[in-house]
Each structure stands twice: as structure tokens, then as C-alpha cells.
Amino acid sequence: GVGNTELQVQIMKDLQATSYVGTPSFLMTLIKKAEELGHDFRKDFSLKTAFLGAEMLPQSLRDTFQNDYGINNSQAYGIADLGLIAYECSEKSGMHIPEEVIVEIVDPVTGTQLGPGEIGEVIVTPIEKTHPLIRFGTGDLSLYTDEPCPCGRTSSRLVRITGRVGESVKVRGMFVHP
């Protein structure tokens, strides 16, 4: 969570945490707080991997984590209503869509299904008996590729999340509406 940042930094250091799961912005908040407290994050902390989600991960921030702090990072895409929708492999060439999820990219106005490389709304149908949803509109914009990944997987991949349908934006994992 976003509270008690100093305490979280201290616990992360004391426990020699090697992995982080959360938003990219909060990971950067933790790093900056550690530096404010006089730590050299790369030397004083054991963090080596980060699994990031709930907001967009700009390439510049990804590079900062990797190059400046030695944190290998990958991203995932999910929403509260459905859970995990796609995840990145070590190749970082898009987020793989698991077999138990059907993802479509559609024109947000007409609902027409779009092809690879075309930006549209992410529509998801999870193959799940306990929480059935059919063609759930996420409100997120993305594009997909169906080219095989260099890792060898052949599933379609979301290339990246490009924005939102409408005027709402996501800031630190929370939606802000005008």
C-alpha cells in the first residue's frame, strides 16, 4: 500500500527483499524515499526483480529500474473485475494472453473487431465457471500481435496499453475522471 513509506523501505531493507509486485510509480516512490533517507538503493537493497502492473510502464521508467537500479522488471495487465489478462515474458516483446482468456480488440464506437496492429478497446471473456463474464469491456485501449514471440510461445500478445476509452485516466493505479 501507499502508506508508511519509510516503514516499508526499512522492512524491505531489513528483510533483504529480492522481489516487488505492485505499481511502477510506487516502486519509484520507495526508491526515492530510500535515497532521501541516505541509502544507495543499488548497494543497500537486495531488490533484483519487479512484476509491475495497474498502470502503464513507460519505457523510460523501465530503463531507469533496469539500468540505474539493477531491477529486472516485467509487466502484467489485469483489472479488478477479472484479474490477470496478460503478462510479459523475459523477451519483453508484448504481454502474452493466457489460454483461459479470450481477448478481442474492437473499435470503441462500432464494436467491430480489429486486426493485429490496430488500436482499439480491450474486450475480455474469461473461461471461468465461477465468475462468468462475456465480452467485458475494460475501457483500456491496446493493440495486439499474433506473430510468434522470440521466447517460442505462439499465443497472441498485447503489444502495450496505449490509453483509455473516454476521458478518464489512471494515476497511481486509480482512475481519475474529469
Side-chain angles (χ1 to χ4, degrees):
V2 295
N4 299 318
T5 309
E6 286 184 24
L7 179 61
Q8 290 189 52
V9 166
Q10 189 62 48
I11 290 170
M12 187 167 54
K13 183 176 184 303
D14 291 348
L15 295 178
Q16 298 178 1
T18 59
S19 298
Y20 167 90
V21 176
T23 64
S25 61
F26 191 59
L27 176 55
M28 185 51 75
T29 297
L30 290 170
I31 291 169
K32 293 300 179 193
K33 179 57 75 175
E35 291 174 341
E36 281 176 29
L37 295 170
H39 297 291
D40 178 330
F41 194 86
R42 195 170 189 140
K43 290 180 183 175
D44 298 340
F45 289 79
S46 302
L47 201 63
K48 299 295 176 217
T49 60
F51 190 59
L52 305 167
E55 62 189 26
M56 286 195 258
L57 176 61
Q59 188 63 42
S60 59
L61 187 54
R62 167 176 278 197
D63 293 343
T64 297
F65 290 144
Q66 182 66 53
N67 301 332
D68 297 351
Y69 300 105
I71 302 169
N72 184 28
N73 56 88
S74 60
Q75 63 183 322
Y77 170 58
I79 60 173
D81 301 291
L82 298 171
L84 185 69
I85 296 170
Y87 59 90
E88 200 169 50
C89 70
S90 60
E91 295 293 329
K92 298 179 182 164
S93 62
M95 294 175 281
H96 292 277
I97 300 168
E99 291 178 13
E100 61 274 7
V101 179
I102 298 169
V103 173
E104 303 168 79
I105 303 297
V106 305
D107 182 291
V109 176
T110 66
T112 305
Q113 200 165 28
L114 301 174
E118 296 180 282
I119 295 175
E121 183 177 4
V122 178
I123 305 295
V124 182
T125 301
I127 309 301
E128 186 180 331
K129 292 179 183 178
T130 59
H131 190 229
L133 290 171
I134 298 173
R135 301 195 79 228
F136 182 85
T138 65
D140 293 317
L141 295 172
S142 186
L143 63 155
Y144 77 96
T145 181
D146 54 9
E147 295 177 10
C149 181
C151 77
R153 292 184 183 109
T154 57
S155 64
S156 293
R157 296 181 320 279
L158 294 178
V159 176
R160 68 185 174 282
I161 303 301
T162 62
R164 295 275 307 155
V165 173
E167 296 179 355
S168 67
V169 294
K170 205 174 220 187
V171 178
R172 297 184 182 206
M174 300 292 291
F175 287 110
V176 178
H177 302 277

